[in-house]
Amino acid sequence: MVVVGNRPSAKLNEADFTRITVRLYASHLLSTWNSRMFEFAAFLFLAGVFPGTLLFASIYALARSFAVFLLSSLIGRLMDRSNRLLTIRHSIDLNASMRRIDLVAKLVAPLFISLVDAASTYAALWVVLGSSLASVTVEYFAIAQVYHAVPELARPSETTELSDHILEPADPRDASTPNQKPSLEHISVYINGSLSPWCSYFRSPVLLASLSLCILYLTVLSFNAQMITYLLASGFTATWVSVFRLISVVVELAATWAAPMLMSQIGPTRSGLWFITWQSVCAAVGVALFSTAALELRMRSIALISGVIMSRIGLWGFDLSVQFLVQEEVASVSRSQFSATEAALQNLFEMLSFATTSIFAKPEQFQYPALISVGATMVANLCFTTYVRQIRGHLFHKSRCLARQKYTRVDDSDVELTTR
């Protein structure tokens, strides 16, 4: 992926850097606004057309995640092999500031479209379409200006250039013509190229840390497709669902400021362990109360919502911690490939979460996908605990924790963040 740090390039003065940053943030704001609005509106429309079931929303989301799973690794390789103007227009890696833009859009856009939908679903459809069409030109030219102002974006990585040189035939006459059938050698090269990102990923020193983050995508405990559809089917209005989601995003925004402060004190490894433990406890308590038959449905749902909202502090803090670890342990020349492979694995686990609500598609069966989600969180916690044990040799160092020694981070570019 293309990583845009928040420090000026040596070739840019402060004014130029500020101008480029504004255009980058403007492009990303428009992109995330339309993405988050469509994401929420799609499930409102599906819930309206197919009331009383989670099946159709799950199938839609499952197909979307399957496409990402198939294409992520390929796109990751192409990002380093191709002209990056096209690449950056389709995928921008997020630093902390851009992640906050994403969260703000996630906060405001669903509430906005839910209010429009409450007045008229037909109007909401036109608002989603009109907003997308109106912003695409601005996004395109804003990101083009960023590209032309930073020449480094036009150059592929050295490792990619080397691999391209190795794979190219020495004699142009040796190259296959369109009418020739691919030889076994070409097929072997293609297979090896496809498997190479996965082999590199599973040999990474941060495999368990990254894998634990990926496993967390096997969840219905977030204000996305399944839980939105469940709440709508349970009698909550779209406005109330958007309010719950708004509160959740505010908590997530707070986590993006709190997590770096904690990491600066105790380091990303220990902070990651603290955050994922917090998430596991909140999710488990929320689902336990939700599964209690003694409570009425509305109170059980409120308990679940509360547990999910509180767990988001742990989720985003853990996300930041893991990405710091990835940044420090994975070489910069292969980080794009690693991140793309990680994204593919995340979408595989997300597909599994949509499969659970396809099987348990009735709203009254939602507790089963919720219990599966808690189980996945516990497995992720175990994976990261094992990673901490391997790296540190212990899980809790009493003297150093009480001494509150600050963590010293290696000097590198700004942290990469996954989108959610």
Side-chain angles (χ1 to χ4, degrees):
M1 296 183 187
V2 179
V3 180
V4 181
N6 58 16
R7 290 177 299 201
S9 168
K11 298 180 180 180
L12 298 175
N13 58 41
E14 193 67 31
D16 288 338
F17 175 73
T18 301
R19 177 175 53 83
I20 292 169
T21 302
V22 169
R23 283 163 173 73
L24 180 64
Y25 289 169
S27 174
H28 185 62
L29 174 61
L30 291 172
S31 176
T32 53
W33 172 271
N34 289 308
S35 175
R36 294 300 185 178
M37 182 166 61
F38 176 80
E39 176 189 90
F40 190 80
F43 298 112
L44 290 183
F45 301 152
L46 286 171
V49 176
F50 304 104
T53 179
L54 282 66
L55 178 62
F56 295 98
S58 298
I59 292 174
Y60 160 73
L62 179 63
R64 185 184 62 189
S65 295
F66 183 66
V68 177
F69 170 71
L70 290 179
L71 299 175
S72 288
S73 293
L74 174 62
I75 291 173
R77 294 176 61 206
L78 291 176
M79 283 181 179
D80 285 331
R81 298 168 65 95
S82 61
N83 182 290
R84 293 186 178 178
L85 176 56
L86 180 61
T87 298
I88 197 172
R89 279 171 174 156
H90 291 281
S91 178
I92 302 172
D93 212 2
L94 308 180
N95 59 23
S97 297
M98 294 179 73
R99 188 57 184 159
R100 292 184 188 114
I101 291 174
D102 185 33
L103 289 173
V104 169
K106 184 179 177 181
L107 186 154
V108 180
L111 180 60
F112 169 74
I113 197 62
S114 67
L115 293 174
V116 176
D117 180 70
S120 170
T121 300
Y122 185 74
L125 286 166
W126 280 106
V127 167
V128 172
L129 176 62
S131 178
S132 299
L133 293 177
S135 63
V136 64
T137 303
V138 178
E139 290 180 51
Y140 189 87
F141 285 103
I143 209 64
Q145 291 177 338
V146 174
Y147 169 82
H148 290 302
V150 183
E152 288 81 358
L153 292 174
R155 292 198 289 267
S157 66
E158 294 178 3
T159 55
T160 302
E161 292 175 348
L162 180 60
S163 64
D164 288 345
H165 177 72
I166 292 174
L167 292 176
E168 287 177 356
D171 188 339
R173 291 173 295 181
D174 295 336
S176 298
T177 64
N179 296 324
Q180 290 179 326
K181 293 183 179 180
S183 65
L184 290 177
E185 182 179 356
H186 287 101
I187 294 174
S188 176
V189 169
Y190 176 79
I191 293 175
N192 289 336
S194 299
L195 294 178
S196 176
W198 291 97
C199 293
S200 299
Y201 179 82
F202 283 105
R203 288 195 300 263
S204 170
V206 290
L207 168 63
L208 287 177
S210 175
L211 182 61
S212 61
L213 181 61
C214 294
I215 294 173
L216 291 178
Y217 278 72
L218 203 174
T219 185
V220 299
L221 303 179
S222 66
F223 289 94
N224 288 327
Q226 300 106 311
M227 191 165 171
I228 289 174
T229 307
Y230 164 74
L231 292 175
L232 292 172
S234 298
F236 290 95
T237 65
T239 302
W240 270 113
V241 173
S242 62
V243 169
F244 295 144
R245 181 166 172 155
L246 184 150
I247 296 171
S248 177
V249 173
V250 170
V251 171
E252 293 169 13
L253 278 169
T256 65
W257 272 284
M261 290 189 290
L262 182 61
M263 281 187 280
S264 68
Q265 295 293 323
I266 64 175
T269 303
R270 270 191 288 168
S271 68
L273 186 59
W274 290 17
F275 279 123
I276 196 170
T277 301
W278 172 268
Q279 180 186 2
S280 300
V281 170
C282 292
V285 171
V287 172
L289 292 174
F290 176 67
S291 303
T292 302
L295 298 176
E296 62 176 3
L297 178 60
R298 182 57 62 99
M299 292 303 299
R300 290 164 53 197
S301 298
I302 293 296
L304 178 66
I305 291 168
S306 301
V308 169
I309 290 175
M310 294 305 297
S311 73
R312 306 305 281 181
I313 299 174
L315 174 63
W316 288 110
F318 181 68
D319 184 290
L320 275 163
S321 300
V322 170
Q323 294 308 319
F324 262 91
L325 293 170
V326 169
Q327 181 185 6
E328 294 189 340
E329 297 295 333
V330 179
S332 59
V333 293
S334 58
R335 201 174 295 153
S336 297
Q337 178 177 283
F338 182 93
S339 297
T341 306
E342 183 183 59
L345 195 57
Q346 289 168 353
N347 278 274
L348 174 61
F349 282 105
E350 190 173 39
M351 286 167 55
L352 294 176
S353 78
F354 293 128
T356 64
T357 48
S358 297
I359 297 171
F360 303 104
K362 297 180 180 179
E364 57 269 22
Q365 296 176 319
F366 190 72
Q367 65 178 10
Y368 302 118
L371 289 169
I372 293 172
S373 300
V374 171
T377 304
M378 297 302 177
V379 172
N381 197 328
L382 179 61
C383 282
F384 193 76
T385 300
T386 304
Y387 168 79
V388 174
R389 180 75 178 181
Q390 289 178 350
I391 296 299
R392 299 175 58 84
H394 58 269
L395 297 178
F396 179 71
H397 198 307
K398 183 177 179 180
S399 60
R400 293 192 62 172
C401 288
L402 295 180
R404 300 178 66 184
Q405 295 183 0
K406 287 190 176 182
Y407 166 75
T408 303
R409 182 190 167 204
V410 299
D411 186 20
D412 203 345
S413 59
D414 295 297
V415 64
E416 297 176 60
L417 288 168
T418 57
T419 178
R420 182 174 328 271

